[in-house]
Amino acid sequence: MGNCKSLPKTWCSCSCCTKCCKHKATEEIRLNPLILPPILDETDATSTNVISIKSFDLCTNENGPDHHTKNFYSMKSNPGDETKLIVRRGQPFKIRLTTNRPFSRARDTLNFVFTLHNDEKPSHGHGTLVGCMLKSNSYELGESNEWGSAIETISGDQMDVLIKPSCRAPIGEWRVEIDTQVSNQEGVRNFKYSSTFYVLFNPWCKDDQVYMPDREALREYVLADTTLIWRGSYNRLRPSVWKLGQYERDVLDCSLLLMSKIGKVTPAHRGDPIKISRALSAAVNSPDDDGAVLGNWSEDFSGGTPPTKWIGSVAILQEYYKKRKPVKFGQCWVFSGVLTTIARTLGIPSRIITNYSSAHDTQGSLTVDYFVDAEGKVLEEMNSDSIWNYHVWNEVWMDRPDIGVEYGGWQAIDSTPQEMSDDMYRCGPASVLAVKLGEILRPYDCDFLYSEVNADKVFWRYTGPYQPLKLLRKDTLGIGHLISTKQIGQWDRDDITKTYKFAEKSRDERDTMAKALKQANSSFSRYYLNEDFNDIYFDFNLQDDIKIGETFQVTLQVKNRSDEKAYDVVGSLHVETVLYTGKQRDKVKSTTFDINIPPNSLKLIEMEVTFDEYFGKLMDQAAFNISCMANVRDTDYEYFAQDDFRVRKPDIKITFQGIPTSHEEIDVIVRLTNPLPIPLRKGLFQLEGPGIESQILKKIAEVPVSATTSATFKYTPPFAGRAALVAKFSCKELDDVDGFLAYEVRPRPDDVLIESNEINGGYNRRIERRDVIP
């Protein structure tokens, strides 16, 4: 080719010439929305032998199913919006070129030039500027780690071309130019396309770093657009449905914006899922960089949406993309839901993880320390550590070449702004296997994740600034329970605790803890005071199923295991409402006791709590903390324990009036029964689902005591296959009530083809056209 000075009347294909040459003629070709209009820059008007490109077809109907991208909003014909191709790296996609004459393999030369959009200085070295010479045969696409282009078929003036992005290509928007030339001649024509196409990660490609071999897992962790998030407490697990909505309008563009502009992943590193997932764990929260969601753990949500009222990521990401300001407000499950949406949008397999009794270790000691006074009141001002009823983070799937092949697979990332990592609020990716093995020095933030699931809980009695602390109790079993995620293909819970930790009380678990402490250089001494006294045993006893609106009872069991001696035990029992983070306690009720327990006997201390006593003090997730402080007279033994629980809220019931069918309108009814002994006033149903671009809102004036209310709306399923509708109800008296319906949408009769198979006796085979991979 050469440079502009050596070719005064022709063009080379280099990017500098396309910017500096002044002698170009331009014409526009306008075609239907599925065909991109090229801008023709004719470098030598006299070079009539150089082939011209008349149209450029994205073949979205063929590429979409092949690349598992057909459901994306940009891949469909939407009035007023441009159709854009979305493909996955490491896998060929097809384009169809219409030329002014048949392409000659022997005489014509065609080159593609791909540049990463919005990269100010695209370069070959960074993989953001790529040139591909069109090969004659499809088997010449080259190695997986390089870009390639080849002819698939030629039919007259139409040519189908296969283009294969490298399996290491940066993800994002790409631009394409085409240079055509007659072999051994100087005349070159350059065609630029004003539109862009998207390249995503490809977990179906064996050479992609995010490759996942299990196809059922791919359907769940990449393609599924609705999931479950477990909340509540370890003794009252509560699944909430979350609409991920990765295919909806603006979600892909917002995800790329958060990666590049907010997460500041440089173009050269946009092919690295390690760097991208770490950046996204910071970009989803707002303290450092005005990211997507503003956290709020108070009870004042004025000026925004309370976290419990969100039912999915779509509204959050669409608002952020429009306003470029943090959306108010989020808590851990909201951050996790949004991060899962972004990861799946970009093609990284992701799932939502809930850890019950989750430690927040602020000092890196691998312990959670609680300080209480003589009455058993937790001293909030002294407690920097905390134990959350539950905490929600994410896992993403990828190889880890930076730390070793054995640490590939699931990696934990967390976008809830808890502690800084490298001067930013972010966490991970931390290999889940490294966490289990106590390898707390592995990048990134394995020590923090290890504490969340494995820290020891220690209670100290504080008697004044100049008095020594007394160790009341050390609990090695209180942290990290029932680590949960949604089952593959099922609307049920999958317990994955064993992937994070060895079994409690096992030798492996204690050995791993010792190993972690040694790596952390912790000076914490592991005292075992009080362990010599085993005669008196305490335990809480709670009802299995406490429904909101009902009276409940808290029972403390005190057992004397001595065969000979009776003991006097004095103490107090407390019930408080609390945020799920373990903060902002508000006293509901307490009682004191002074009892004598004969040898080998059991006594119960019972306290009844009525609806009127707790209703006015309930916080947003109806969580309670119970605690006991006790002293055995004539001994030095003091006992302190606490536990968490929540009352159960009702479920919303969703039913179809008929069988849901693709592209056919159907009535949907949502119902809720009032569980409270008071009426519900000014209620609101919020509903989301596939094809519902804006939330459906249904106002309910009043629901009398024990009555059932309902609302009906029209719904048109946009595709056949698996889907889910999500509903939430809120009012002043009762909020954070939700429900969902998972269902199968059947295809329309027009979408069912009957094909004859003459080889196998001419039987008919039913084939369904689907817009999603089921």
Side-chain angles (χ1 to χ4, degrees):
M1 289 297 179
N3 55 44
C4 291
K5 293 181 180 179
S6 63
L7 296 172
K9 292 186 178 181
T10 61
W11 281 36
C12 71
S13 62
C14 69
S15 59
C16 66
C17 292
T18 60
K19 294 177 181 177
C20 69
C21 292
K22 307 295 184 184
H23 49 270
K24 54 191 176 184
T26 301
E27 64 174 297
E28 291 187 0
I29 302 173
R30 300 196 178 276
L31 304 164
N32 69 63
L34 293 181
I35 303 175
L36 291 177
I39 299 175
L40 168 63
D41 292 329
E42 190 171 333
T43 65
D44 187 347
T46 63
S47 300
T48 56
N49 291 330
V50 179
I51 197 167
S52 292
I53 298 174
K54 297 168 63 178
S55 68
F56 180 92
D57 189 343
L58 296 172
C59 301
T60 52
N61 288 335
E62 297 169 70
N63 291 320
D66 289 345
H67 285 255
H68 309 281
T69 57
K70 188 174 183 180
N71 259 357
F72 278 95
Y73 180 88
S74 297
M75 288 282 282
K76 300 177 181 180
S77 298
N78 298 293
D81 290 324
E82 180 184 3
T83 301
K84 288 189 177 184
L85 179 65
I86 303 172
V87 296
R88 299 186 187 276
R89 66 186 194 176
Q91 178 179 341
F93 64 91
K94 179 188 292 187
I95 63 171
R96 183 166 293 128
L97 303 179
T98 303
T99 53
N100 64 330
R101 60 170 173 79
F103 184 89
S104 170
R105 286 181 169 92
R107 187 165 63 105
D108 293 316
T109 300
L110 187 149
N111 293 287
F112 290 95
V113 179
F114 301 99
T115 54
L116 187 65
H117 183 49
N118 288 333
D119 184 5
E120 295 180 357
K121 296 180 180 180
S123 70
H124 294 284
H126 289 163
T128 58
L129 171 62
V130 181
C132 280
M133 178 178 288
L134 183 68
K135 302 294 185 180
S136 296
N137 300 288
S138 58
Y139 58 79
E140 299 179 279
L141 283 171
E143 299 294 329
S144 178
N145 62 356
E146 60 186 18
W147 286 72
S149 62
I151 298 170
E152 185 180 46
T153 60
I154 298 177
S155 178
D157 62 356
Q158 278 196 349
M159 178 168 62
D160 285 357
V161 173
L162 296 177
I163 296 172
K164 176 183 62 61
S166 166
C167 64
R168 300 173 184 172
I171 65 167
E173 288 185 85
W174 286 80
R175 293 195 174 277
V176 60
E177 300 179 27
I178 301 177
D179 292 336
T180 62
Q181 186 179 19
V182 175
S183 299
N184 301 319
Q185 293 186 15
E186 291 185 344
V188 176
R189 283 178 173 169
N190 175 268
F191 300 83
K192 295 181 183 178
Y193 295 87
S194 58
S195 185
T196 57
F197 67 97
Y198 298 87
V199 176
L200 306 180
F201 286 110
N202 191 354
W204 285 266
C205 174
K206 290 184 178 180
D207 297 316
D208 198 306
Q209 194 173 335
V210 300
Y211 172 64
M212 176 176 272
D214 187 333
R215 293 305 175 96
E216 289 299 315
L218 285 166
R219 291 178 181 178
E220 182 67 55
Y221 300 135
V222 180
L223 298 179
D225 70 346
T226 308
T227 191
L228 294 176
I229 303 176
W230 262 263
R231 293 163 56 200
S233 60
Y234 79 93
N235 47 23
R236 173 51 58 190
L237 279 63
R238 175 197 175 192
S240 298
V241 71
W242 189 265
K243 173 69 176 177
L244 296 167
Q246 65 265 41
Y247 306 118
E248 303 300 328
R249 175 178 50 84
D250 296 335
V251 170
L252 174 55
D253 288 316
C254 187
S255 299
L256 293 172
L257 171 77
L258 287 164
M259 174 195 71
S260 58
K261 301 298 183 183
I262 307 302
K264 295 181 173 58
V265 180
T266 61
H269 292 121
R270 290 178 194 168
D272 185 347
I274 299 172
K275 287 185 168 57
I276 287 175
S277 60
R278 181 157 174 78
L280 289 174
S281 75
V284 168
N285 62 61
S286 65
D288 310 304
D289 46 24
D290 289 331
V293 181
L294 178 64
N296 184 343
W297 283 266
S298 73
E299 285 288 286
D300 180 7
F301 301 113
S302 56
T305 300
T308 54
K309 285 186 168 55
W310 295 115
I311 57 178
S313 306
V314 177
I316 293 172
L317 291 172
Q318 287 177 342
E319 180 181 336
Y320 184 81
Y321 188 65
K322 179 180 179 181
K323 298 181 179 179
R324 308 295 166 94
K325 293 181 179 179
V327 178
K328 302 175 181 178
F329 294 103
Q331 292 178 4
C332 67
W333 72 93
V334 178
F335 289 110
S336 179
V338 171
L339 186 51
T340 301
T341 296
I342 296 170
R344 292 190 188 182
T345 301
L346 301 182
I348 303 174
S350 178
R351 62 186 184 181
I352 295 173
I353 307 300
T354 300
N355 177 41
Y356 287 97
S357 299
S358 186
H360 181 182
D361 177 16
T362 62
Q363 300 170 346
S365 64
L366 305 186
T367 61
V368 176
D369 299 295
Y370 278 97
F371 302 91
V372 299
D373 63 16
E375 296 179 353
K377 180 181 178 182
V378 175
L379 302 174
E380 296 280 3
E381 66 276 9
M382 294 186 63
N383 294 329
S384 59
D385 295 344
S386 60
I387 299 173
W388 297 25
N389 282 3
Y390 65 91
H391 180 48
V392 184
W393 62 75
N394 298 79
E395 287 178 358
V396 286
W397 179 276
M398 65 188 68
D399 289 336
R400 289 298 300 269
D402 57 325
I403 58 176
V405 63
E406 68 272 24
Y407 293 108
W410 288 117
Q411 315 291 315
I413 58 175
D414 191 347
S415 54
T416 301
Q418 295 185 101
E419 297 296 317
M420 284 191 166
S421 174
D422 296 332
D423 299 321
M424 293 189 72
Y425 283 103
R426 56 186 171 186
C427 184
S431 165
V432 173
L433 177 60
V435 172
K436 179 174 182 175
L437 297 178
E439 296 286 349
I440 64 172
L441 299 182
R442 299 281 183 181
Y444 297 89
D445 308 306
C446 279
D447 55 345
F448 187 78
L449 264 298
Y450 182 87
S451 289
E452 287 188 297
V453 301
N454 258 321
D456 285 345
K457 183 162 52 171
V458 183
F459 297 99
W460 304 90
R461 185 152 76 82
Y462 178 80
T463 55
Y466 305 108
Q467 300 298 319
L469 293 171
K470 180 178 181 181
L471 179 62
L472 297 175
R473 182 165 173 254
K474 179 177 172 235
D475 184 359
T476 62
L477 308 177
I479 302 295
H481 297 299
L482 301 167
I483 303 177
S484 306
T485 191
K486 181 182 177 296
Q487 278 189 16
I488 294 176
Q490 303 292 328
W491 293 89
D492 207 344
R493 189 179 73 89
D494 189 6
D495 191 311
I496 59 168
T497 307
K498 65 182 180 181
T499 67
Y500 276 88
K501 57 194 297 186
F502 293 102
E504 297 288 5
K505 299 183 180 180
S506 69
R507 178 67 179 268
D508 286 336
E509 190 270 336
R510 285 293 93 188
D511 287 349
T512 302
M513 183 66 173
K515 172 184 175 182
L517 284 166
K518 185 175 180 180
Q519 289 184 80
N521 293 319
S522 173
S523 59
F524 174 74
S525 298
R526 305 174 71 75
Y527 297 108
Y528 287 89
L529 301 180
N530 293 327
E531 290 196 356
D532 291 334
F533 186 85
N534 295 312
D535 286 357
I536 299 296
Y537 172 78
F538 297 85
D539 192 23
F540 288 118
N541 185 20
L542 292 171
Q543 296 170 235
D544 290 337
D545 188 15
I546 304 172
K547 301 181 181 66
I548 191 168
E550 296 180 343
T551 294
F552 64 85
Q553 188 166 277
V554 176
T555 303
L556 177 70
Q557 297 180 348
V558 187
K559 184 176 183 180
N560 184 356
R561 295 188 283 200
S562 172
D563 294 328
E564 301 174 353
K565 188 174 182 180
Y567 288 98
D568 292 322
V569 180
V570 60
S572 55
L573 187 63
H574 309 268
V575 174
E576 300 171 307
T577 55
V578 64
L579 293 178
Y580 80 101
T581 60
K583 300 290 186 180
Q584 290 189 223
R585 299 166 185 266
D586 192 358
K587 179 180 176 181
V588 174
K589 194 172 185 179
S590 65
T591 187
T592 60
F593 57 88
D594 189 342
I595 57 176
N596 178 268
I597 310 179
N600 290 319
S601 63
L602 172 71
K603 288 201 173 180
L604 304 179
I605 293 92
E606 297 177 333
M607 181 169 64
E608 186 178 82
V609 183
T610 67
F611 172 77
D612 289 337
E613 288 174 325
Y614 69 75
F615 176 66
K617 298 183 178 180
L618 274 181
M619 299 186 188
D620 61 353
Q621 296 185 55
F624 292 85
N625 179 269
I626 57 174
S627 62
C628 170
M629 183 71 180
N631 173 256
V632 181
R633 285 201 180 103
D634 301 323
T635 74
D636 290 329
Y637 184 71
E638 289 181 291
Y639 171 84
F640 179 83
Q642 63 177 12
D643 204 354
D644 301 305
F645 71 96
R646 63 179 298 275
V647 291
R648 180 167 65 85
K649 295 183 179 180
D651 296 322
I652 298 171
K653 305 299 182 184
I654 306 174
T655 56
F656 286 110
Q657 298 298 98
I659 300 175
T661 303
S662 172
H663 296 91
E664 293 185 3
E665 188 176 78
I666 190 171
D667 285 333
V668 183
I669 302 177
V670 291
R671 295 182 175 89
L672 176 71
T673 300
N674 179 9
L676 304 185
I678 57 175
L680 307 180
R681 294 185 173 87
K682 296 183 179 180
L684 179 69
F685 281 112
Q686 301 166 260
L687 301 121
E688 283 191 11
I692 300 176
E693 190 164 321
S694 299
Q695 283 186 0
I696 295 173
L697 305 178
K698 294 290 182 178
K699 295 182 179 180
I700 303 296
E702 181 174 318
V703 188
V705 175
S706 301
T708 298
T709 187
S710 65
T712 303
F713 66 96
K714 303 286 186 181
Y715 174 60
T716 303
F719 52 74
R722 298 175 186 173
L725 286 175
V726 183
K728 187 171 280 288
F729 177 86
S730 59
C731 65
K732 183 178 180 181
E733 297 80 14
L734 183 67
D735 66 355
D736 196 21
V737 176
D738 52 26
F740 70 94
L741 176 64
Y743 54 92
E744 184 86 10
V745 179
R746 71 180 182 184
R748 294 175 297 180
D750 292 345
D751 290 339
V752 179
L753 308 180
I754 304 298
E755 289 192 353
S756 175
N757 188 327
E758 297 179 356
I759 297 176
N760 292 302
Y763 69 88
N764 289 330
R765 182 162 63 97
R766 177 186 174 97
I767 301 175
E768 298 177 358
R769 294 193 189 116
R770 297 191 176 202
D771 295 332
V772 294
I773 305 298

